[in-house]
Amino acid sequence: MRLAPALFLPEIRLYAAHPASGLRRLVDPHRAGGDPPPYWAYHWAGGAALARYILDRPATAAGVRVLDLGAGSGVVGIAAAIAGARTVLAADIDRNAIAAIGLNAAANGVTITAVEDDLTAGPPPEMDLIAVGDLFYEQGLATRVTAFLGRCVAAGVRVLIGDPGRAYLPHARLRLLAEYPIPDFGDAKDAATKRSAVFSFE
């Protein structure tokens, strides 16, 4: 992995994949269910947009408890920590993502608590802000996340979502806050750059 500035986020450096990364070696075929794909090793547009939003508006996270849900590389949590969050918790179901979050946080000089857990099945956490980037790409996952975020909002927790407009984004519950011209993971190099957005979940 190479440590380099994150997409659209020169303030943040992340360990990211490159052609010689050998990421396949991290997938344990003997682990029950196998390891998830190494999504944490790539730049995703929704997370980049949400991190950019927080860095440009540090008051969004300053002094509050932040949960980076489905954190992947931890880029959104790192942005929140740089912006002055009181605490940052990053949750992901991939053990390799948890390791990457620790390395990425250290590379940026911030402190993040990372947990390998699916928090969407539980009650609203004791947080002030939940940040969600790129979790609406699969219907079952999007349904669980939307229901969880609904419980969190009902409990008084603020929720921000970063996404480039994936198929299962719950548009009816979103209020647009900002847009950014950020290419997404998997976009062809010569493809027109789509706009990624940051929303408040209502």
Side-chain angles (χ1 to χ4, degrees):
M1 305 294 284
R2 292 175 182 158
L3 185 63
L7 176 70
F8 212 67
L9 301 161
E11 305 94 327
I12 296 176
R13 298 188 303 158
L14 299 176
Y15 287 97
H18 57 88
S21 296
L23 287 174
R24 194 170 300 167
R25 294 179 308 212
L26 295 177
V27 179
D28 181 359
H30 303 293
R31 188 183 190 207
D35 281 335
Y39 294 138
W40 50 268
Y42 299 92
H43 297 292
W44 293 81
L50 187 48
R52 181 74 270 156
Y53 182 86
I54 291 171
L55 289 173
D56 288 346
R57 300 165 180 81
T60 302
V64 304
R65 301 166 297 176
V66 178
L67 168 63
D68 183 359
L69 183 68
S73 67
V75 66
V76 177
I78 291 168
I82 292 172
R86 178 163 40 135
T87 61
V88 178
L89 176 68
D92 201 286
I93 61 170
D94 186 344
R95 60 179 175 168
N96 295 315
I98 299 306
I101 290 166
L103 292 171
N104 288 330
N108 289 278
V110 298
T111 300
I112 294 177
T113 301
V115 295
E116 182 185 351
D117 198 1
D118 179 2
L119 302 182
T120 63
E126 293 185 3
M127 293 286 160
D128 304 301
L129 172 65
I130 298 177
V132 183
D134 304 291
L135 284 187
F136 297 93
Y137 56 87
E138 189 273 325
Q139 187 171 18
L141 173 62
T143 298
R144 294 198 316 275
V145 170
T146 300
F148 172 71
L149 297 180
R151 297 194 300 274
C152 293
V153 168
V157 183
R158 186 182 183 201
V159 175
L160 295 178
I161 292 173
D163 200 277
R166 293 193 173 83
Y168 302 104
L169 195 63
H171 291 282
R173 301 198 64 171
L174 303 181
R175 179 169 59 88
L176 180 65
L177 299 177
E179 288 185 304
Y180 302 95
I182 304 176
D184 196 21
F185 170 65
D187 285 350
K189 290 185 179 179
D190 57 351
T193 300
K194 295 179 291 188
R195 297 190 72 81
S196 296
V198 175
F199 305 93
S200 174
F201 185 89
E202 305 287 318

